[in-house]
Amino acid sequence: MNAMGVRMTVDQVLALAPDEASRSAGSKLGTAGPWSGTGSGEGAVWGLCRGSGSAPYRTVVDTTGPAYLCDCPSRRSPCKHALGLLVLQATDGTAVEDATVPEWAAPWLAARRGRAESAPLETRAGAAPEGPADPEAARRRAERRAARITSGAQELEQRLADLLRGGLATAEQSGYGLWEETAARMVDAQAPGLAGRVRELASIPGSGPGWPVRLLEECALTHLLDRAWLAADRLPAPFATTVRTRVGLTAPADGAPVRDHWLVLAQYDAADARLTTRRIWLHGTTSGRTALLLSFGAAGRAPRLALPVGAVFDGEVMPYAGSGRLRAEPGEPFVPVAAPAAAPPGGPVGAALDAYGRALGEDPWLDSWPVTLSEVVPARAEYGWQLADADGREALPLTPTAQSRPGLWRLVALSGGAPLTVFGECGHRGFTPLAAWSPEAPGETVPLI
């Protein structure tokens, strides 16, 4: 598929789709019928796709990015034509053969390669510029923001105290408006992390049976974050960095770069009214490190960064500071490589719970922690589906969200009652499976989301 001869599978291609509609439309265009002038070479694939107009759409994919160019009117990236072209190559090796880059595609590809080669090394590596132009002014801005956040945290503490003094039942009576007003005050205080937690509190009273327990738990975690911020200067440095991040202060990815062959374990999006967040989990096949790449898009827009699940890339990541150090930024452009894609080393359910417990000790506000389970079997229980050790010693319930997705049935079918390896996120609501490997095909990553 590129200069290095790596070809994506259909599942890997469709994992790049920004939404279900694009995935479906791209699948339908993955046949030779609407295509002409197809070819590949120099790390790119291109073709002309017949549409409703008199002229075909010109589509080209730079597979070293990946990046996409199509003159169709769609605002999605990749569009259905780019997806269809990649599906065509994945399913029909003779339909997209080696060729010379056409004149209409060459300028765009040359411009992309030129920008990559001419960019300063620190820019290509994704590093932050070397310090602000005026360090003293930056220090004063940081102090003013810290003072505003402190004021906001103190106000939120008073709001929590009033709630507990009046009783949790008052939260249901007061409705969403009072919480939204408090959240707006946290935004004014430049503490978006606290604002997000307040909005979460607002949603709990209407969340169904047992909401008072959940509300009390979230109030306790919010109170803990407030108190940690107010005492941040007395905390160990890694934990203080975690607290600042949870409150909403950004920090640069300043860890030492880690070069490796990275297996893409999972990719999925979460959206709200303001933002679309894409989470990409990577496993370093040599270092054994797990890394999380986050990218963002405006509401309704897919984030730009997309990596096909199951593919292996050579490249660097720069970790962020703080407890856990899972989140990272991609460094120099990832290059696809033809390398084995075996599952990460895993363990039994008990080991996964131990790992999650240790992670909570470093970051009490964690929603989940990445773990790999080996030799587990999906099984039905009284409360729903679970993943159980093959010897029946321990089991992890699947989260309600995971039990409502089609990926559950893909997991059950892949197992067929036999043990397999599963990667996913372990949290207080249960386990969310994201990828799986069967003993019959240990090098084939099966996405579950």
Side-chain angles (χ1 to χ4, degrees):
M1 169 171 280
N2 49 62
M4 302 187 68
V6 178
R7 183 188 300 272
M8 284 190 282
T9 66
V10 173
D11 282 343
Q12 291 171 351
V13 171
L14 296 181
L16 300 173
D19 50 44
E20 187 58 39
S22 298
R23 186 177 294 111
S24 176
S27 297
K28 294 177 182 178
L29 288 175
T31 61
W35 291 96
S36 62
T38 56
S40 64
E42 301 183 23
V45 57
W46 57 85
L48 305 174
C49 187
R50 185 174 66 250
S52 57
S54 58
Y57 295 122
R58 297 187 292 187
T59 307
V60 57
V61 179
D62 180 354
T63 56
T64 64
Y68 319 92
L69 178 69
C70 184
D71 57 9
C72 73
S74 174
R75 300 175 67 179
R76 294 180 174 88
S77 181
C79 68
K80 63 181 181 180
H81 304 101
L83 293 169
L85 180 60
L86 293 175
V87 169
L88 175 64
Q89 188 180 42
T91 57
D92 188 349
T94 63
V96 184
E97 298 180 340
D98 290 343
T100 302
V101 178
E103 292 184 1
W104 58 266
W108 179 74
L109 287 170
R112 278 188 53 80
R113 308 294 160 75
R115 285 195 298 269
E117 292 173 2
S118 63
L121 180 58
E122 63 271 16
T123 301
R124 276 183 273 164
E130 290 188 8
D134 186 346
E136 181 61 23
R139 184 187 64 80
R140 290 195 298 269
R141 287 195 298 270
E143 288 180 349
R144 288 195 296 269
R145 182 176 184 185
R148 285 192 289 269
I149 293 174
T150 297
S151 177
Q154 292 170 340
E155 182 178 341
L156 181 54
E157 280 291 279
Q158 185 61 51
R159 174 76 178 90
L160 293 174
D162 291 343
L163 171 66
L164 296 180
R165 189 179 299 112
L168 295 180
T170 61
E172 190 174 34
Q173 297 166 6
S174 60
Y176 193 87
L178 187 58
W179 287 110
E180 184 56 38
E181 179 182 340
T182 305
R185 298 291 292 272
M186 297 304 103
V187 172
D188 292 341
Q190 295 185 290
L194 291 179
R197 300 201 73 88
V198 170
R199 291 191 175 99
E200 178 68 20
L201 292 173
S203 68
I204 293 175
S207 62
W211 68 263
V213 174
R214 294 192 293 275
L215 180 60
L216 186 60
E217 291 172 347
E218 290 301 322
C219 283
L221 286 172
T222 303
H223 168 70
L224 180 63
L225 182 56
D226 276 343
R227 302 309 303 176
W229 168 262
L230 296 173
D233 57 340
R234 301 192 297 273
L235 299 176
F239 189 60
T241 300
T242 297
V243 170
R244 286 192 289 269
T245 302
R246 291 296 182 182
V247 165
L249 292 175
T250 57
D254 57 0
V258 181
R259 182 70 177 265
D260 209 335
H261 283 180
W262 298 97
L263 168 64
V264 183
L265 297 173
Q267 172 180 292
Y268 67 92
D269 294 349
D272 58 28
R274 294 170 292 276
L275 194 68
T276 299
T277 302
R278 174 166 293 166
R279 298 167 66 88
I280 301 177
W281 285 109
L282 305 177
H283 168 68
T285 59
T286 300
S287 65
R289 188 180 190 121
T290 301
L292 172 64
L293 307 184
L294 294 181
S295 59
F296 305 93
R301 296 284 191 89
R304 293 183 61 85
L305 181 61
L307 298 176
V309 175
V312 179
F313 292 84
D314 176 56
E316 287 184 349
V317 300
M318 275 75 65
Y320 282 80
S323 303
R325 298 180 66 87
L326 282 179
R327 188 184 170 191
E329 283 290 330
E332 58 188 47
F334 278 18
V335 178
V337 295
V349 168
L353 293 174
D354 288 344
Y356 177 51
R358 290 192 297 270
L360 280 177
E362 296 184 349
D363 183 353
W365 305 280
L366 272 177
D367 286 328
S368 59
W369 186 256
V371 296
T372 302
L373 304 174
S374 60
E375 295 292 308
V376 291
V377 181
R380 184 80 176 176
E382 292 181 6
Y383 49 79
W385 285 90
Q386 62 182 10
L387 283 173
D389 290 329
D391 59 11
R393 294 185 60 184
E394 294 179 289
L396 260 176
L398 299 190
T399 61
T401 301
Q403 297 195 46
S404 66
R405 290 173 177 156
L408 169 63
W409 305 112
R410 194 180 308 164
L411 177 65
V412 172
L414 183 67
S415 166
L420 38 66
T421 299
V422 184
F423 168 80
E425 296 172 348
C426 181
H428 64 280
R429 295 183 179 88
F431 182 79
T432 300
L434 300 176
W437 298 261
S438 70
E440 290 75 19
E444 181 180 346
T445 304
V446 178
L448 301 175
I449 188 171

